[in-house]
């Protein structure tokens, strides 16, 4: 398995410089989603003060022709700070700044899905929508080969790896532990992690987050994972089916509830939402991966703990359904439900917005309403 050349550089030598005083200056790393809708980009600027809120941060710009976001003849794009976190790589007082992207005319870039998501969330804030997203990913070498897999063959069949312990079952735990601690330091609402069914596949969970915070926290958690993997010389893949054949794909199961669902008798509201989702299956499939459902078609086959992409289904404790009601929710008759359809490379802004539009704004049909 190939690792990056950068990973062989001496981290001890680097640490000598990282321990130098930075005076009263602050490094702010601006992060944004590029034109693919999946990739993340970043660059850093120096501030003369430590920002205390998002309002303290200046707008910035970048060359969109180099990020698949515009042509070279009119390439300036605007970075609008949207959420701020502590920087776990440079440490306090330095910051990570998640940004929205605007085009030259101040309209949102095509992959800036945060703007409409934020508007939709504001419409239902009195219902206090909570989300929790389960981000699966696969650790790969720089050659695309799964971490720890034999160079000419496959590991043993699936079975011993899920939540596994031991060198022959857990592949790459150092990355998982480093990522978990870095997220906690940054202020990301990460709430757990576990080894997944396929070897070298892992999952972390973010939430519960209310409204727009879900997308913000998951994107920053993804950025931190990419940076941690960079230090280790490997790659984190969110491909929904990285290995063909009898191996599990990677999803981003999304748990959703409202204040009404969480209160006594909330199961009725949960069942009502599931009925609405069943009538709008194709719209959600289009919203649940960046290629309008083409990526998920490789994963949602009805096998390997997935539903069939062409059919909507729901059930209690059923991991082969589109929507799962956890068993304890069915017993307590309140809580939340899990939408198992989103792919690992989904945009959380798109997923959470779609759930709000269908379940709370009562939209119907294959197209979103323009408010």
């Amino acid at each position: 398995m190939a690792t990056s050349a950068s990973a062989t550089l001496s981290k001890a030598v680097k640490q000598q410089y990282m321990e130098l005083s930075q005076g009263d200056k602050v490094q702010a790393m601006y992060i944004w989603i590029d034109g693919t809708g999946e990739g993340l980009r970043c660059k850093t600027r120096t501030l003369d003060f430590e920002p205390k809120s998002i309002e303290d941060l200046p707008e910035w710009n970048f060359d969109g022709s180099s990020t698949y976001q515009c042509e070279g003849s009119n390439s300036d794009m605007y970075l609008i700070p949207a959420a701020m976190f502590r920087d776990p790589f440079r440490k306090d007082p330095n910051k990570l700044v998640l940004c929205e992207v605007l085009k030259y005319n101040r309209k949102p870039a095509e992959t800036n899905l945060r703007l409409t998501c934020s508007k939709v969330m504001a419409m239902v804030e009195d219902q206090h929508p909570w989300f929790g997203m389960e981000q699966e990913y696969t650790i790969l070498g720089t050659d695309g080969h799964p971490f720890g897999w034999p160079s000419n063959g496959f590991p043993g069949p699936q079975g011993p790896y899920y939540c596994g312990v031991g060198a022959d079952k857990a592949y790459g735990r150092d990355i998982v532990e480093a990522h978990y601690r870095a997220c906690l330091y940054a202020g990301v609402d990460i709430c757990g992690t576990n080894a997944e069914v396929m070897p070298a596949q892992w999952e972390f969970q973010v939430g519960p987050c209310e409204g727009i915070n879900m997308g913000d926290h998951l994107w920053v958690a993804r950025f931190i994972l990419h940076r941690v993997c960079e230090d280790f010389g490997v790659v984190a893949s969110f491909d929904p089916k990285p290995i063909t054949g009898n191996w599990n794909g990677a999803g981003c199961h999304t748990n959703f509830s409202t204040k009404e669902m969480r209160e006594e008798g909330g199961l009725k509201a949960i069942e009502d939402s599931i009925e609405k989702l069943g009538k709008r299956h194709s719209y959600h499939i289009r919203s649940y991966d960046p290629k309008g459902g083409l990526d998920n078609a490789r994963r949602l086959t009805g096998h390997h703990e997935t539903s069939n992409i062409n059919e909507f289904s729901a059930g209690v404790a059923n991991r082969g359904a589109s929507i799962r009601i956890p068993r304890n929710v069915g017993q307590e008759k309140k809580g939340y439900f899990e939408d198992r359809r989103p792919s690992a490379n989904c945009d959380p802004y798109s997923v959470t917005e779609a759930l709000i539009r269908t379940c709370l704004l009562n939209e119907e049909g294959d197209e979103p309403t323009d408010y």
Side-chain angles (χ1 to χ4, degrees), residues 185 207 336 358:
Y185 182 96
Y336 66 98
T358 300

Side-chain angles (χ1 to χ4, degrees), residues 308-319:
N308 187 297
I309 193 169
N310 298 312
E311 300 170 2
F312 181 85
S313 57
V316 175
N318 184 357
R319 283 178 163 76

Side-chain angles (χ1 to χ4, degrees), residues 287-299:
S287 302
Y288 284 2
D289 82 47
K291 295 183 177 65
L294 293 177
D295 274 348
N296 240 343
R298 295 184 283 124
R299 167 181 161 259

Side-chain angles (χ1 to χ4, degrees), residues 56-72:
D56 294 339
L57 291 160
E59 292 185 11
W60 206 8
N61 56 66
F62 68 96
D63 169 19
S65 68
S66 298
T67 60
Y68 314 116
Q69 286 171 295
C70 68
E71 298 178 355

Side-chain angles (χ1 to χ4, degrees), residues 12-88:
V13 172
K14 175 192 171 187
Q15 191 58 30
Q16 294 180 53
Y17 300 101
M18 297 305 291
E19 290 172 354
L20 294 173
S21 169
Q22 59 187 72
D24 58 357
K25 305 293 185 181
V26 170
Q27 292 172 283
M29 180 174 280
Y30 282 43
I31 304 161
W32 70 98
I33 302 161
D34 70 16
T36 66
E38 300 180 62
L40 287 164
R41 307 292 179 115
C42 64
K43 63 176 185 171
T44 301
R45 69 183 299 164
T46 302
L47 302 176
D48 295 327
F49 60 94
E50 181 180 356
K52 300 299 183 184
S53 70
I54 208 71
E55 290 74 27
D56 294 339
L57 291 160
E59 292 185 11
W60 206 8
N61 56 66
F62 68 96
D63 169 19
S65 68
S66 298
T67 60
Y68 314 116
Q69 286 171 295
C70 68
E71 298 178 355
S73 59
N74 193 5
S75 63
D76 277 4
M77 310 279 284
Y78 295 104
L79 291 173
I80 313 300
M84 183 170 66
F85 297 81
R86 298 168 71 197
D87 187 337

